[in-house]
Amino acid sequence: MSDIEHPVVRPRRLRTTPAMRELVAETTLTPAQLVLPVFVREGASEPRPISSMPGVVQHTRDSLRRAASEAVQAGLKGIMLFGIPETKDAVGSGATDPEGILNVAIADVAAEVGDNLVVMGDLCLDEFTDHGHCGVLTPDGRVDNDATLLRYAEMAVVMADAGVDLVGPSGMMDGQVAVIRDALDRAGHTDTGILAYSAKYASAFYGPFREAVDSSLKGDRRTYQQDGRNAREGVAEALLDIEEAADLVMVKPALAYLDVIRRVREAVDVPVAAYNISGEYAMVEAAAERGWIDREPAILETLTSIRRAGADIILTYWATEAATLLRR
Ligand code: PBG
């Protein structure tokens, strides 16, 4: 018989001391699970702060090398590069120029870190196009899926030539993973892997990123990025990418899509990454700046929630700092 004043079952016993809590913790968060996204700006002589992402900068080639080596010191295992070109055009020529900023930065970082860090690069045209879309346009201004695939194939090979370990196609074009895999293999880059942004939702939380990459986008990406109301479709996109030989799949954004992370984790056998995006970073930083939340615990709680949802790997602008906090 249960006695209301003297419960027999007491879950609080497992919360009594820090050691007890450590012993029974269900979720781990370690530096090796974190990937640092970084921005590098062509022609920059000083790192430039990004006002909507306090603490994050557009790197110069030199400051990027230093950030990469700090990432290694902190125990991270991955870095994701975004390039910001000096000039843009309709087809995003800078993306496929071996001397373009993304490709030279990949080579810089690869030379700096060797095999100590997995070097990843965002495979997309939006930073390089003057209209800001992730692909090339038809004469009447729509994003042309199949013409874009040809550009992605070319871009993948140039990135692999520069030494990237994983390409991260983020443009949500149909068939992009298959086309990229085929192009890489034909060029002899059979060891270059694909981290597919599989379930990527059109999101208001990308706002600060648009400043970070000096985006030219007018309008939105709703004809290619997913509708936030659709979770089943996120799983379907991930399964399709795996059929097309994606090595890892990603869900993005993370916080408003924790259920999608969980569903994808349960549906696939490859590693699942989640991208803790710019707006998610900015919200915590802004509230902390006002003294409204305690910054460091908020960062760790955020990252833990993404792990608990099922992400094996988290891309986060806090990666280096969080790794340092975790080692304390
Ligand atoms: C597209 C890309 C975007 C992000 C990563 N890759 C922006 C977009 O789709 O509009 C967003 C990352 C972030 O917000 O932190 N190349």
Side-chain angles (χ1 to χ4, degrees):
M1 271 254 303
S2 74
D3 175 334
I4 287 168
E5 276 155 45
H6 300 285
V8 175
V9 180
R10 293 179 186 268
R12 287 183 56 192
R13 285 184 197 117
L14 298 185
R15 301 173 199 147
T16 47
T17 64
M20 184 69 87
R21 294 192 291 273
E22 282 294 316
L23 185 70
V24 302
E26 297 173 32
T27 305
T28 62
L29 180 64
T30 69
Q33 296 158 341
L34 305 178
V35 173
L36 179 68
V38 287
F39 305 104
V40 55
R41 184 187 182 90
E42 192 160 44
S45 52
E46 302 272 325
R48 275 210 208 178
I50 300 162
S51 65
S52 54
M53 299 177 74
V56 180
V57 299
Q58 295 178 338
H59 281 289
T60 67
R61 287 177 64 181
D62 280 341
S63 72
L64 175 62
R65 290 179 81 124
R66 286 194 295 278
S69 102
E70 281 165 23
V72 173
Q73 295 311 315
L76 305 185
K77 300 297 167 198
I79 191 166
M80 170 66 82
L81 274 60
F82 294 88
I84 303 145
E86 262 174 340
T87 57
K88 305 181 185 193
D89 62 22
V91 297
S93 303
T96 46
D97 177 355
E99 297 304 316
I101 184 61
L102 178 62
N103 300 311
V104 296
I106 287 169
D108 287 346
V109 172
E112 182 77 26
V113 300
D115 288 340
N116 293 316
L117 203 57
V118 177
V119 181
M120 314 176 193
D122 187 62
L123 197 170
C124 196
L125 295 177
D126 66 313
E127 291 94 356
F128 299 93
T129 52
D130 52 15
H131 45 72
H133 276 294
C134 293
V136 296
L137 305 182
T138 59
D140 61 347
R142 285 171 301 121
V143 176
D144 186 336
N145 193 89
D146 297 7
T148 300
L149 295 182
L150 301 175
R151 298 286 296 131
Y152 286 178
E154 200 185 329
M155 186 174 179
V157 173
V158 177
M159 291 168 76
D161 287 343
V164 84
D165 297 309
L166 295 176
V167 294
S170 65
M172 290 300 284
M173 295 301 127
D174 293 336
Q176 63 186 8
V177 173
V179 163
I180 290 167
R181 183 70 271 155
D182 181 61
L184 289 170
D185 289 350
R186 283 171 194 273
H189 291 299
T190 51
D191 283 343
T192 306
I194 302 176
L195 164 56
Y197 290 63
S198 299
K200 181 172 178 185
Y201 289 87
S203 173
F205 296 102
Y206 299 144
F209 177 92
R210 306 267 163 93
E211 181 197 343
V213 300
D214 296 348
S215 173
S216 324
L217 184 69
K218 293 190 187 67
D220 60 51
R221 306 195 195 287
R222 293 185 180 276
T223 69
Y224 44 107
Q225 296 182 344
Q226 286 179 255
D227 188 312
R229 291 170 290 193
N230 298 347
R232 274 197 312 263
E233 186 191 44
V235 175
E237 284 277 10
L239 292 173
L240 255 181
D241 282 353
I242 292 168
E243 256 172 54
E244 295 179 24
D247 299 284
L248 310 89
V249 294
M250 179 147 66
V251 175
K252 178 182 178 181
L255 294 183
Y257 298 87
L258 293 173
D259 58 321
V260 180
I261 295 174
R262 165 58 49 195
R263 289 170 73 151
V264 169
R265 177 58 291 166
E266 283 170 2
V268 308
D269 292 318
V270 301
V272 174
Y275 200 139
N276 175 217
I277 61 162
S278 57
E280 299 170 357
Y281 175 90
M283 287 193 292
V284 171
E285 291 293 336
E289 208 173 272
R290 293 186 167 203
W292 288 354
I293 58 172
D294 190 358
R295 184 174 172 280
E296 291 180 359
I299 292 171
L300 296 178
E301 186 175 335
T302 298
L303 298 176
T304 301
S305 77
I306 299 168
R307 286 272 305 140
R308 194 187 60 239
D312 302 294
I313 298 165
I314 305 171
L315 284 78
T316 173
Y317 300 100
W318 288 306
T320 305
E321 183 184 353
T324 310
L325 295 177
L326 290 169
R327 286 177 155 202
R328 266 198 217 138

